[in-house]
Amino acid sequence: MDRVEGTSEPHREWKTIFVTGGAGYIGSHCILTLLEAGYTVVTVDNFTNAVGIVKDGHSCVAPSIQRVEQITGKKVIFHHCDLLDKKKLSEVFAEQKIDCVIHFAAMKAVGESMQVPFLYYKNNIMGTINLLEVMAENNCHEFVFSSSCTVYGDPGDALPITEEHPTGGVTNVYGRTKFFIEEMLKDIYNADKRWNIVLLRYFNPVGAHPSGIIGEDPTKPFANLMPYMAQVAIGTKPSLTIFGTDYETEDGTGVRDYIHIMDLAEGHVAALSKLKREPSLGLKAYNLGTGKGVTVLQLVHTFERVTGTTLTLDLKDRREGDIVAMYADPSLAEKELGWTAKRSIEEMCRDFWKWQTQNPTGYRGDVSHMIPAAKSNLSESATVSLTNGNHSAVNGH
C-alpha cells in the first residue's frame, strides 16, 4: 500500500486523544491504557453496543467509563453522541484541541449484519465519513482505525497471515464495512498526504482487566465465545453450542488467534507512539494477534481448568461459510511498533472469570434506568457461532 517512509522529524508532543465507541469493551480498556500513558481522553458513544445509564432523569453516563476513572484516578471527558449526528459531533470535537483519533465505534454482530445490511452500511460507513470530515474541518489528520482480521476473508492455507495477504473476499456485511472503510482510508490518504493513518487488524480479543472491575458486557445476543462460556459456567445459559467438530484440526474444531484485551489495548498506545515518531508515516496496517492458533475446544478446556467449572457442550454440524483457521503473523507490529502480545490463554480465562463472577449482570444493575437505545438491545437468548469468531467490532467493541 502507498505510504511515505518515516522521517527524522522531532517527536511530537500530543496530549488529547479522541476515542469513538469508548464505552464499549475494547474502547474502555483502551481508554484505561491511554490514561495510564498520560493522555487526556475525550470519548463519545451512542450506547448501541454498550450500557448507558440515565442520571438525574435526563443525562446519560457510561458505567464502564466511570469504572475506568475509578481504576486510574483520572477523569474522562465523555459525551453521549452518535457519529451519524454530524452537527453534535462537530460541537463535541470543537471543544478540545484533538491531536489524534482512535475510531472504535461500529455495529459489530456478523449475523445481524446479514439481516440488516442497510443499518450496518449506514452506521459503520456513514459514521466514519462524518468523523473524517469533522477531523479535516478541525485540521486533525492523525487516525487509528479499529479494523479486523475479517478483511482477509478465508486465508486458506496462507497461515500465519501477514499484512501483505490480499484483503477483500469477505463473506459478511460487517466484515465488508471494515474492508470498505480501509479502502476509503487508502483513497483519502492518496488524495491528501497530510493524513497519517494506522490500520489495526484485530484478531480475537478476550479477557478483561485483571482487577475484574471492567470487562465485556454484551448488550445484544452473545456472539463472542468467552462471554457465552462464562454465562454457561455461572448457570445463566444452559449449554455452549459449538458449530463444527470435523475440521482438519487437532480436535476437529475451528482455530482462532485469541488475544488478551489488555495486550490489544496496549497495541493502540504503541500505534500512537509510532504516529508521533513518524509524522510522515502515511498509511500502514498492522496485525494485532498472538501468532498462535488455538482451537475452540482448547480454549473451552483451558477455561474449565482455570475456573474449576464444567461446561455443558452442544456439538452441532459446521455451518456454511465458517472458515477452518485464522491466526496472525504479528512480527511487523513487533518490529515497527515495538509491541508483542504478552499474556497467556490462562490469563485471558482467569481475568474474564474474575470480571464475570464479580459482575454477574455486567454493568447493567437496574435496567429500568438504562437509556432506551441500550435497553432495547437486551436479549435473554441467542444462537452463537463459536467457529467463525472474528473480532467483535464495537461501538465500544
Side-chain angles (χ1 to χ4, degrees):
M1 67 183 59
D2 293 333
R3 66 185 179 92
V4 177
E5 293 296 330
T7 72
S8 58
E9 297 178 47
H11 187 88
R12 295 177 291 175
E13 291 301 325
W14 288 357
K15 178 182 178 183
T16 304
I17 310 301
F18 189 88
V19 177
T20 71
Y25 176 44
I26 299 177
S28 58
H29 288 77
C30 181
I31 287 174
L32 186 148
T33 62
L34 291 172
L35 294 174
E36 291 181 335
Y39 292 104
T40 297
V41 176
V42 180
T43 188
V44 296
D45 205 299
N46 69 356
F47 300 118
T48 294
N49 297 321
V51 173
I53 305 295
V54 175
K55 182 180 180 181
D56 302 326
H58 56 87
S59 63
C60 299
V61 299
S64 59
I65 299 299
Q66 291 179 320
R67 294 191 186 192
V68 166
E69 293 175 331
Q70 173 189 340
I71 295 169
T72 63
K74 298 180 179 181
K75 294 296 294 181
V76 177
I77 303 168
F78 174 78
H79 295 271
H80 180 206
C81 177
D82 194 311
L83 297 188
L84 295 178
D85 186 346
K86 187 179 178 183
K87 181 176 182 294
K88 184 171 182 179
L89 179 62
S90 296
E91 293 170 353
V92 172
F93 208 94
E95 290 182 4
Q96 302 282 331
K97 173 62 176 71
I98 304 300
D99 295 304
C100 182
V101 171
I102 302 179
H103 181 31
F104 295 110
M107 297 188 70
K108 67 174 186 173
V110 170
E112 182 185 56
S113 75
M114 303 300 288
Q115 298 171 357
V116 286
F118 279 134
L119 190 59
Y120 270 67
Y121 286 123
K122 181 178 181 180
N123 185 84
N124 294 5
I125 296 179
M126 290 304 299
T128 302
I129 291 173
N130 284 346
L131 175 64
L132 294 168
E133 288 181 339
V134 169
M135 288 178 64
E137 290 165 3
N138 287 272
N139 196 33
C140 178
H141 299 90
E142 309 290 336
F143 192 66
V144 178
F145 177 55
S146 165
S147 192
S148 169
C149 63
T150 57
V151 301
Y152 294 121
D154 187 344
D157 295 327
L159 293 169
I161 197 162
T162 72
E163 293 84 353
E164 298 303 315
H165 190 281
T167 56
V170 186
T171 58
N172 60 79
V173 172
Y174 157 65
R176 279 193 283 273
T177 66
K178 292 293 182 180
F179 169 68
F180 292 155
I181 291 170
E182 281 201 6
E183 294 298 296
M184 179 173 67
L185 290 171
K186 293 176 188 177
D187 291 336
I188 289 170
Y189 167 69
N190 287 331
D192 183 352
K193 295 299 192 289
R194 290 178 298 173
W195 286 93
N196 230 20
I197 301 170
V198 171
L199 312 175
L200 295 180
R201 294 171 180 164
Y202 308 163
F203 281 68
N204 296 76
V206 296
H209 189 266
S211 67
I213 295 174
I214 61 171
E216 184 173 10
D217 183 16
T219 59
K220 293 186 178 183
F222 293 120
N224 292 336
L225 175 54
M226 193 162 284
Y228 208 99
M229 285 196 299
Q231 288 292 304
V232 173
I234 65 173
T236 57
K237 299 290 182 187
S239 63
L240 184 68
T241 303
I242 297 178
F243 292 97
T245 58
D246 60 348
Y247 292 103
E248 293 183 6
T249 63
E250 184 174 335
D251 56 29
T253 61
V255 171
R256 296 294 180 268
D257 188 340
Y258 299 101
I259 176 174
H260 196 293
I261 185 63
M262 294 308 299
D263 281 327
L264 187 72
E266 290 165 3
H268 293 76
V269 175
L272 290 182
S273 295
K274 177 73 169 178
L275 288 172
K276 288 196 293 183
R277 289 194 308 270
E278 300 188 24
S280 299
L281 176 69
L283 186 148
K284 196 69 182 286
Y286 297 97
N287 290 335
L288 293 187
T290 66
K292 300 174 183 177
V294 175
T295 70
V296 171
L297 281 179
Q298 285 172 339
L299 183 60
V300 168
H301 295 326
T302 301
F303 184 87
E304 291 178 318
R305 174 169 51 83
V306 168
T307 63
T309 61
T310 301
L311 305 183
T312 300
L313 304 181
D314 183 12
L315 305 179
K316 294 190 176 181
D317 293 338
R318 66 170 75 178
R319 304 186 311 171
E320 184 177 358
D322 285 347
I323 64 175
V324 178
M326 172 75 84
Y327 54 95
D329 178 344
S331 57
L332 187 64
E334 180 177 7
K335 177 183 177 182
E336 297 194 6
L337 302 182
W339 172 90
T340 57
K342 302 172 183 175
R343 297 164 177 86
S344 67
I345 290 288
E346 287 78 9
E347 288 175 281
M348 300 176 202
C349 295
R350 183 186 66 235
D351 291 343
F352 193 87
W353 186 237
K354 187 173 184 180
W355 151 257
Q356 185 68 80
T357 52
Q358 289 182 183
N359 304 271
T361 60
Y363 297 116
R364 281 167 252 201
D366 183 357
V367 297
S368 66
H369 292 102
M370 290 177 64
I371 66 170
K375 187 177 179 179
S376 65
N377 288 329
L378 295 177
S379 175
E380 293 303 319
S381 62
T383 300
V384 60
S385 168
L386 301 179
T387 59
N388 198 23
N390 292 323
H391 125 82
S392 65
V394 195
N395 190 6
H397 287 249

